[in-house]
Amino acid sequence: MSISTNSIINNEYFYPMKTIKISSEKKLDINNLLKFEAIKNSINGNKIFENKYGKSIKNISGFFCKRTKINIELFNKLFNSIFYKDYSPYLQEKFNTKSVEEAIKYLHIEYFILVDLFNLKLISNSEINSFLNLNFDKDNFIKNSNLLITNKQSFELTDKSIDSFVSGKNKPLKNEVVVLFKDLGITLIEIPQFYKLDLLVSFLEEVKELKKRLEIDNFSFKLRFKKIKHFKKDGMYIVHDKTIIVDPRKPKAFIHELGHYIFENKIDINLSKIELLNNNKHIKNSKIETYSIESENFAYNFENLFN
C-alpha cells in the first residue's frame, strides 16, 4: 500500500513567470511573461477564477471581472505613452467581456503594459526584472509565511463548511470527498486552488486504505496542501498543532509526515516492529518543526515500509 505520485493540482504555475530571459535586441511577447494557455484553460474551466490580480466570474453573458488598482509607477509610465487610450477600457474597477483573452488582459494588465512599454523602449530590462521581483518574492513569502493559516485562495473543509463545499458542480465527487473526510477523522483539509477533484478523491481513498492497514481509529490531525518548495521540503509535520502539510505536487510525502504524527502521538499500529535505526539523516527542521532525531528516524523507517 502506497500513495501515488500524481499531483492533485492542474498545473504548477498559473501566474506570470518568475524567471525570464529578456534581450534588449528582441521584442517581447506576452507569452514571455505569462503562461497564457494555462491561465486561459483555467478561466474557461472554472465558474470563478481568482488570484492576487483579480477575480473573473463566468456567466451567460460572458465574464464579469474585478481587479485591484495597478502599480502606480507603471500607470504613470502608461499615462505618458501613446498606449494610454488603448488601455483606458481596461483601467476601470469592473470589466465585462465575452472574450477570455480580454478577461486575461484585464486581470493581468500590468504584464501587457510592460510588454508594450519595453518594445517601445520606454522601460529597460532592469525595470522589468525589478517589477517582477516586487510582485513575486515578497508576496509569495508573505502568502506562505504562516503555514497554519489557510491561504486566501484555498478552501478549508471542516464539519462546518461541508454544505458550502458540496454546492455547485461535481456534487457526486464532492460528496465522496466528504464521506472520506469523515471516515478518516481528519479535522480539517486545506484544499488548494485549481485542484483536481478526482485525484483528491483517489488520494483520500489511498489514505483510507493505509488507515485500515494500520488499524488506527481516527487520523485526528489537520491536513494542509500548500506549495512549500521555498522551504526545500515536500512535506512537514507541526507537532504542537497536530498538522500535516503536504505540497500538492508531491502527495507521496504524506507517508513520511504520517510517520511523525504516529511517533509524536505514541499511536499503536498494526505492523511488524519498526526498527529505530540511525539513518544518519540530517534534520532540516523549519522554525515551527520541533521533532527529535528519534522521530525523524522513525518517519524514515515508516516511509521505507511503503516504498
Side-chain angles (χ1 to χ4, degrees), residues 87-120:
Y87 277 100
S88 58
Y90 301 94
L91 301 176
Q92 308 302 316
E93 182 181 352
K94 299 176 182 178
F95 185 73
N96 290 281
T97 179
K98 292 184 178 181
S99 166
V100 65
E101 287 81 7
E102 286 195 347
I104 294 173
K105 185 171 183 178
Y106 176 83
L107 295 177
H108 294 275
I109 190 170
E110 292 171 333
Y111 298 89
F112 286 85
I113 294 172
L114 281 173
V115 168
D116 283 338
L117 293 179
F118 177 79
N119 289 339
L120 203 62

Side-chain angles (χ1 to χ4, degrees), residues 248-259:
R249 299 163 293 185
K250 302 288 184 177
K252 203 172 184 67
F254 172 80
I255 292 181
H256 182 92
E257 308 313 323
L258 180 63

Side-chain angles (χ1 to χ4, degrees), residues 279-300:
N279 285 277
N280 297 317
K281 297 288 185 180
H282 177 65
I283 298 180
K284 296 180 180 179
N285 288 359
S286 68
K287 292 181 180 180
I288 57 176
E289 289 178 292
T290 58
Y291 46 74
S292 63
I293 185 63
E294 291 80 14
S295 180
E296 189 69 15
N297 284 333
F298 180 92
Y300 274 109

Side-chain angles (χ1 to χ4, degrees), residues 209-221:
E209 285 297 314
L210 187 58
K211 173 177 173 284
K212 182 179 179 181
R213 180 176 175 184
L214 296 172
E215 295 185 2
I216 298 176
D217 291 334
N218 282 304
F219 281 160
S220 57
F221 52 77

Side-chain angles (χ1 to χ4, degrees), residues 144-148 231 236-241 245 285-291:
N144 289 310
S145 60
N146 192 336
L147 297 176
L148 302 181
F231 283 96
M236 302 169 75
Y237 179 67
I238 314 304
V239 178
H240 70 86
D241 200 57
I245 300 171
N285 288 359
S286 68
K287 292 181 180 180
I288 57 176
E289 289 178 292
T290 58
Y291 46 74

Side-chain angles (χ1 to χ4, degrees), residues 76-226:
N76 289 336
K77 287 182 178 292
L78 173 69
F79 185 78
N80 294 313
S81 75
I82 61 173
F83 298 116
Y84 180 73
K85 288 185 178 180
D86 296 330
Y87 277 100
S88 58
Y90 301 94
L91 301 176
Q92 308 302 316
E93 182 181 352
K94 299 176 182 178
F95 185 73
N96 290 281
T97 179
K98 292 184 178 181
S99 166
V100 65
E101 287 81 7
E102 286 195 347
I104 294 173
K105 185 171 183 178
Y106 176 83
L107 295 177
H108 294 275
I109 190 170
E110 292 171 333
Y111 298 89
F112 286 85
I113 294 172
L114 281 173
V115 168
D116 283 338
L117 293 179
F118 177 79
N119 289 339
L120 203 62
K121 301 189 182 302
L122 296 177
I123 56 173
S124 64
N125 300 34
S126 60
E127 285 179 295
I128 286 185
N129 286 315
S130 175
F131 176 86
L132 293 177
N133 288 333
L134 177 68
N135 274 272
F136 272 95
D137 296 342
K138 186 177 179 181
D139 286 354
N140 278 348
F141 174 76
I142 292 172
K143 187 175 87 169
N144 289 310
S145 60
N146 192 336
L147 297 176
L148 302 181
I149 294 179
T150 301
N151 286 339
K152 291 181 179 179
Q153 295 165 354
S154 299
F155 184 87
E156 190 173 276
L157 178 59
T158 64
D159 286 334
K160 294 182 179 179
S161 65
I162 288 174
D163 289 343
S164 176
F165 177 70
V166 298
S167 63
K169 297 179 180 180
N170 300 316
K171 286 186 178 181
L173 276 177
K174 287 181 177 178
N175 280 318
E176 286 188 47
V177 171
V178 170
V179 170
L180 289 164
F181 166 70
K182 290 181 176 180
D183 287 347
L184 290 169
I186 295 173
T187 57
L188 176 152
I189 303 180
E190 179 178 342
I191 303 173
Q193 189 182 28
F194 308 124
Y195 72 103
K196 292 182 179 180
L197 187 53
D198 58 334
L199 291 182
L200 177 60
V201 170
S202 296
F203 172 83
L204 294 177
E205 285 176 340
E206 290 172 341
V207 173
K208 183 179 178 180
E209 285 297 314
L210 187 58
K211 173 177 173 284
K212 182 179 179 181
R213 180 176 175 184
L214 296 172
E215 295 185 2
I216 298 176
D217 291 334
N218 282 304
F219 281 160
S220 57
F221 52 77
K222 299 172 186 174
L223 175 60
R224 296 187 179 277
F225 288 104
K226 292 176 179 285

Side-chain angles (χ1 to χ4, degrees), residues 29 31 34 47 56 75 80 96 139-140 143 221 234 262:
D29 179 84
N31 289 292
L34 292 179
K47 184 176 180 180
S56 168
F75 174 81
N80 294 313
N96 290 281
D139 286 354
N140 278 348
K143 187 175 87 169
F221 52 77
D234 296 334
I262 290 171

